[in-house]
């Protein structure tokens, strides 16, 4: 059901590790070739093309590409009360964490009369994509919207695929979540075409659309399939993006103290996302590896999405990796850079402090990834495919720009003028120095 990779007794360089560790193969380049004509067509034909593409890909032709505000508001009334309570608690926790992320402005007096200030300014408008294929993700609405709201973004647009069994509207729980968050600009548009609509805007074509269906945004965020990732790659530069999200990943660093049922359950929970989802256990314990393999058989056989889970666990992106000890395990997980990393070891908090590459770290037996997916308060939109080596998960920072404000008086400028002239001459740019001298 899941392969083993035995690294015991082997001293591998980082390059060697990246070659042998499992990872999903995703051909974004090919997907980009497929979606490029879609982006161009949406840019040219606007709402008419969006309806044609919905009919082609989603099996339904939406009357309302922009969901009427009263429909969004009414979705709350139909929401299961227990789901509503859960969403409201998720919103509260996520908001409390993200409110603490807001950075402070600062001012530095570098000399008398010489001041540099730094301001954090939110982007004007963001577009938030919420998937709706194999599963629907109201939790992703919370993660994207709350981070943008706490950053101070003034204009938010949410888009999610039209559902054939919901009259061409997005999933009703997604709509209700938007209403709970106070977002009423919601679109029934999915896939690469949604990214195009957000990046370029879209003209209306039917009376219900108005002259302009959707105004362009400054930043597009949110997870999606390979075609969404490819579309985000192609529009980057027209707009900002959070990341090209690939298939989801979990890595578990565990020793012999870990509970095999916990580990196996967490691998299965991540594998149910997608047949390409990666589930990796790194352990020095052969006994734990065997116990997890045994538990996987039982758990996979009993889970609802067993075929999807079996495909993910048996794929080349998933494995049990045997290492000599926890130090070697840390080298492996730091080279892997998982989207989600669980540390289930003795002294788990101390071990977690030694992790240098992960989208998010879940410490100890009672902090499963599922907690972070919903209600930990952290954000679940995280870097995949090893991008955790250089990228962060979604947060308030994703929607802020640092702008430096320079203010010198005449005396402060005069004090450094000769040095500026010297540097300008050294760089062969004398007019730079002359621009200073003209003021003195």
């Amino acid at each position: 059901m899941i392969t083993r990779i035995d690294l015991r007794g082997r001293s591998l360089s980082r390059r060697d590790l990246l070659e042998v560790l499992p990872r999903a193969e995703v051909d974004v380049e090919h997907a980009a070739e497929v979606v490029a004509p879609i982006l161009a067509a949406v840019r040219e034909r606007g709402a008419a093309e969006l309806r044609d593409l919905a009919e082609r890909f989603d099996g339904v032709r939406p009357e309302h590409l922009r969901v009427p505000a009263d429909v969004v508001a009414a979705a709350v009334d139909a929401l299961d009360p227990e789901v509503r309570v859960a969403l409201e608690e998720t919103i509260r926790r996520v908001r409390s964490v993200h409110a603490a992320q807001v950075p402070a402005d600062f001012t530095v007096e570098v000399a008398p009369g010489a001041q540099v200030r730094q301001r954090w300014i939110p982007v004007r408008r963001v577009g938030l994509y919420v998937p709706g294929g194999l599963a629907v993700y109201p939790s992703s609405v919370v993660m994207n919207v709350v981070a943008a709201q706490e950053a101070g973004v003034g204009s938010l647009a949410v888009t999610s695929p039209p559902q054939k069994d919901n009259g061409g509207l997005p999933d009703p729980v997604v709509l209700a979540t938007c209403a709970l968050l106070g977002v009423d600009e919601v679109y029934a548009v999915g896939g690469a075409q949604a990214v195009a609509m957000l990046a370029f805007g879209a003209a209306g074509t039917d009376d219900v659309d108005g002259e302009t269906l959707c105004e362009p945004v400054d930043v597009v965020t949110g997870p999606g399939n390979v075609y969404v990732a490819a579309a985000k790659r192609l529009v980057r530069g027209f707009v900002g993006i959070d990341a090209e999200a690939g298939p989801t990943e979990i890595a578990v660093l565990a020793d012999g103290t870990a509970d095999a049922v916990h580990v196996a359950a967490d691998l299965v929970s991540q594998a149910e996302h997608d047949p390409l989802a990666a589930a990796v256990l790194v352990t020095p314990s052969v006994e734990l590896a065997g116990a997890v393999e045994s538990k996987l058989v039982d758990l996979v056989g009993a889970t609802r999405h067993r075929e999807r889970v079996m495909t993910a666990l048996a794929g080349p992106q998933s494995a049990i990796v045997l290492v000599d000890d926890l130090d070697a395990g840390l080298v492996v997980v730091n080279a892997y850079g998982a989207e989600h990393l669980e540390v289930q070891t003795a002294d788990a908090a101390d071990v977690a402090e030694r992790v240098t590459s992960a989208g998010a770290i879940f410490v100890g037996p009672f902090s499963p990834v599922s907690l972070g997916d919903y209600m930990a308060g952290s954000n679940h939109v995280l870097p995949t495919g090893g991008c955790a080596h250089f990228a962060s998960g979604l947060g308030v920072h994703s929607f802020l720009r640092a702008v430096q404000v320079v203010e010198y008086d005449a005396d402060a400028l005069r004090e450094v003028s000769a040095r500026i002239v010297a540097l300008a001459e050294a760089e062969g740019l004398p007019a730079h120095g002359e621009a200073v001298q003209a003021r003195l």
Side-chain angles (χ1 to χ4, degrees):
M1 180 174 295
I2 188 168
T3 60
R4 283 195 186 191
I5 299 174
D6 194 343
L7 301 182
R8 291 175 298 174
R10 302 173 64 183
S11 179
L12 299 178
S13 67
R14 186 181 181 87
R15 180 179 178 278
D16 293 335
L17 280 175
L18 293 176
E19 289 291 326
V20 301
L21 291 176
R23 186 76 80 182
E25 296 181 5
V26 181
D27 191 351
V28 179
E29 290 292 340
H30 173 71
E33 294 175 6
V34 173
V35 305
I38 292 174
L39 303 188
V42 170
R43 195 173 190 181
E44 180 180 350
R45 299 185 62 236
E49 184 67 20
L50 293 171
R51 286 190 173 89
D52 289 347
L53 291 167
E55 193 167 20
R56 174 181 167 190
F57 292 121
D58 303 302
V60 62
R61 190 176 185 86
E63 176 187 359
H64 295 279
L65 288 168
R66 178 166 177 174
V67 182
D70 60 336
V71 174
V72 177
V76 175
D77 297 331
L79 192 58
D80 181 295
E82 290 188 7
V83 174
R84 177 170 182 165
V85 169
L87 282 169
E88 289 174 338
E89 180 63 14
T90 295
I91 292 167
R92 186 192 70 78
R93 292 180 179 225
V94 172
R95 195 175 297 286
S96 67
V97 171
H98 287 68
Q101 290 181 353
V102 179
D105 295 349
F106 63 79
T107 299
V108 177
E109 294 281 348
V110 295
Q115 187 180 92
V116 176
R117 303 186 293 274
Q118 182 162 291
R119 295 170 53 203
W120 291 95
I121 303 175
V123 298
R124 176 190 59 87
R125 174 168 164 80
V126 302
L128 312 172
Y129 184 73
V130 180
L134 292 177
V136 293
Y137 294 97
S139 56
S140 284
V141 180
V142 176
M143 302 296 169
N144 283 274
V145 169
V146 169
Q149 288 176 335
E150 292 304 313
V153 175
S155 178
L156 307 178
V158 172
T159 184
S160 192
Q163 303 292 316
K164 189 175 182 180
D165 58 1
N166 196 35
L169 297 172
D171 175 76
V173 183
V174 167
L175 293 179
T177 306
C178 289
L180 290 173
L181 289 161
V183 176
D184 62 6
E185 186 180 349
V186 185
Y187 295 88
V189 182
Q193 58 269 30
V195 176
M197 177 190 74
L198 294 171
F200 305 129
T205 52
D206 289 8
D207 290 342
V208 296
D209 301 332
E211 184 177 346
T212 299
L213 172 70
C214 179
E215 293 286 359
V217 303
D218 299 315
V219 175
V220 176
T221 70
N225 62 20
V226 65
Y227 298 104
V228 171
K232 289 167 77 174
R233 174 179 293 186
L234 293 178
V235 302
R236 187 172 194 167
F238 292 97
V239 294
I241 65 170
D242 53 346
E244 296 175 20
T248 191
E249 306 159 346
I250 182 175
V252 181
L253 177 61
D255 61 15
T257 67
D259 187 313
V261 173
H262 294 174
V263 174
D266 293 347
L267 297 179
V268 169
S269 72
Q270 208 64 23
E272 77 171 341
H273 276 287
D274 189 299
L276 289 175
V280 178
L281 167 62
V282 180
T283 182
S285 172
V286 177
E287 293 76 17
L288 178 68
V292 168
E293 287 170 332
S294 177
K295 296 299 181 184
L296 284 175
V297 174
D298 298 334
L299 294 176
V300 172
T303 195
R304 182 194 304 177
H305 301 297
R306 63 182 62 85
E307 291 185 9
R308 189 189 307 166
V309 172
M310 287 180 66
T311 301
L313 292 177
Q317 72 274 16
S318 299
I320 294 176
V321 181
L322 292 172
V323 292
D324 289 314
D325 50 34
L326 274 181
D327 288 340
L330 279 162
V331 171
V332 168
V333 297
N334 283 330
Y336 184 69
E339 177 189 17
H340 309 93
L341 174 65
E342 291 186 356
V343 179
Q344 298 195 37
T345 66
D347 302 317
D350 292 337
V351 173
E353 286 297 312
R354 298 169 61 192
V355 174
T356 58
S357 284
I361 305 169
F362 299 82
V363 181
F366 303 107
S367 304
V369 167
S370 299
L371 175 66
D373 285 342
Y374 297 113
M375 209 166 288
S378 57
N379 204 294
H380 77 199
V381 182
L382 300 167
T384 61
C387 292
H389 295 310
F390 55 82
S392 304
L394 191 74
V396 165
H397 56 273
S398 305
F399 305 104
L400 293 172
R401 298 157 292 153
V403 177
Q404 294 184 349
V405 181
V406 179
E407 185 175 356
Y408 273 47
D409 64 21
D411 289 340
L413 180 61
R414 185 176 292 105
E415 183 183 356
V416 295
S417 61
R419 296 183 180 93
I420 294 173
V421 169
L423 288 172
E425 291 290 344
E427 292 189 350
L429 300 171
H432 282 59
E434 291 163 4
V436 170
Q437 290 173 321
R439 287 165 165 78
L440 303 174

